[in-house]
Amino acid sequence: MRVRSWSATGSGKGNEDLAASGDRWAVVLDGAGPPAGMDVGCEHGAAWVVARLGAHLRERLDLGLAPAEALRESIGRTVADHGPACDTAHPRAIGATAAVVRVAGADVEWLVVGDAAVVIERSSGGVAVTTDDRLARLPDPPSDEAGVRTYVARYRNRPGGFWVAGAVPEAADHALTGRLPRTEVRRVLLCTNGVTRLVERYGYAWADLVRIASTGRGPAALVDAVRGAECTDPEVRSGRRHDDATAVLVEFGD
Ligand SMILES: [Zn+2]
C-alpha cells in the first residue's frame, strides 16, 4: 500500500492534529483540549496527548493489533504517561478524535471515534464513508457553560453519549468500525474535521475529497481546497478560526 499524508496548522499556536503510518496501517488524530482558561487539573496540552496517543498507536499497530485493541491500550498508556499530579478522571480531560485503517490479512479494517472520517473508495467505483456524528445528534445542545458542564457529565465518554480517545480506554470499544476484503478497496482517505468541513460546510462530495487527494500534490491539495473555501467564507473572514487540517491517503493495488 502507498501512503501520502499532509497536516497543516490552523490559527492556533501549534498543530494539535497528527498523521502517522506504518507498512500496514495509517492514523489521523485531532486533539480536543478544554475551553481556554478552564483548569482540568492537568499540566499537559492537547498536542502532548495526541503525540503520546500517536506513539503508542504506532507501537501497537506495528505489532499487528486490531484498531480497537490498539486504541484501547494506547489510551491506557497515555493515561499512565500523565503522571500522578494529573486529574485524568476530570470530565473535561483532554481527548482526541481518531481514524485508523489497517490491512489485516486479506481484509482492510478501519475505526472512527469522534468527528474524524474514513472515506473508502471501492474498486467498483462507489464511495463509503464512516463518520461519528453522535455528539452532533445529542438532544438539546446547551448554550451556556453551566449547561455544557451538565451535558459533558451526562454524555462525554458515557454509554448513549459520545466518545473521545484520551482518558477513557473504553472509548475504543464504542468506536465505529468497518471491514472489507482488500480486493474491494481502491483507496482509503482518513481526515480530521479541519478537512471534512469541505463536505459539511462547503458543499463538496466525499468522492471529491478522494479525487483531490489522489492528484499529484496528494492530500496537501485537500488542505489548499479547505483554505481556499475558508477565504471566501464570511464567518472565517470575520474572525472565525482556521482549524488544524490533516489527511492521509492510502492507495492499494497496482
Ligand atoms: Zn496531564
Side-chain angles (χ1 to χ4, degrees):
M1 56 183 238
R2 177 188 190 208
V3 180
R4 290 184 282 170
S5 64
W6 191 257
S7 186
T9 306
S11 308
K13 280 200 212 88
N15 192 345
E16 296 175 350
D17 278 12
L18 181 145
S21 60
D23 289 344
R24 303 173 74 75
W25 58 269
V27 167
V28 298
L29 298 169
D30 175 4
M38 176 181 280
D39 180 8
V40 295
C42 168
E43 63 186 15
H44 300 101
W48 180 88
V49 169
V50 160
R52 295 317 305 150
L53 274 174
H56 292 306
L57 276 168
R58 172 179 291 282
E59 215 178 283
R60 314 320 289 163
L61 290 164
D62 273 343
L63 284 172
L65 266 65
E69 201 181 348
L71 183 61
R72 190 186 319 108
E73 289 191 12
S74 298
I75 296 171
R77 282 158 184 257
T78 299
V79 170
D81 289 340
H82 272 277
C86 292
D87 179 11
T88 53
H90 193 287
R92 300 283 274 274
I94 300 164
T97 73
V100 182
V101 64
R102 77 149 185 165
V103 174
D107 288 351
V108 173
E109 57 181 5
W110 61 92
L111 168 158
V112 177
V113 64
D115 62 0
V118 175
V119 188
I120 308 282
E121 187 187 61
R122 309 281 296 254
S123 304
S124 56
V127 164
V129 184
T130 304
T131 56
D132 179 357
D133 63 350
R134 285 175 286 189
L135 173 58
R137 281 192 284 110
L138 290 174
D140 308 322
S143 55
D144 58 6
E145 183 48 41
V148 170
R149 266 199 295 278
T150 316
Y151 207 68
V152 163
R154 183 180 305 162
Y155 294 120
R156 192 175 195 251
N157 285 329
R158 302 274 180 202
F162 66 98
W163 298 85
V164 292
V168 178
E170 190 194 351
D173 303 317
H174 295 272
L176 308 179
T177 58
R179 188 178 185 102
L180 273 175
R182 184 172 163 174
T183 51
E184 290 181 24
V185 179
R186 185 182 295 153
R187 297 187 177 97
V188 180
L189 178 70
L190 310 179
C191 31
T192 63
N193 68 352
V195 169
T196 59
R197 64 180 48 177
L198 283 171
V199 174
E200 286 144 6
R201 202 180 296 167
Y202 299 123
Y204 285 67
W206 291 107
D208 296 335
L209 270 56
V210 179
R211 182 179 49 75
I212 293 167
S214 306
T215 58
R217 273 179 49 70
L222 273 180
V223 177
D224 293 346
V226 172
R227 298 294 182 244
E230 286 172 337
C231 283
T232 62
D233 181 337
E235 274 188 55
V236 176
R237 290 172 77 117
S238 66
R240 186 179 179 134
R241 295 159 58 88
H242 297 286
D243 199 0
D244 302 333
T246 301
V248 177
L249 181 73
V250 179
E251 295 174 282
F252 296 101
D254 9 7

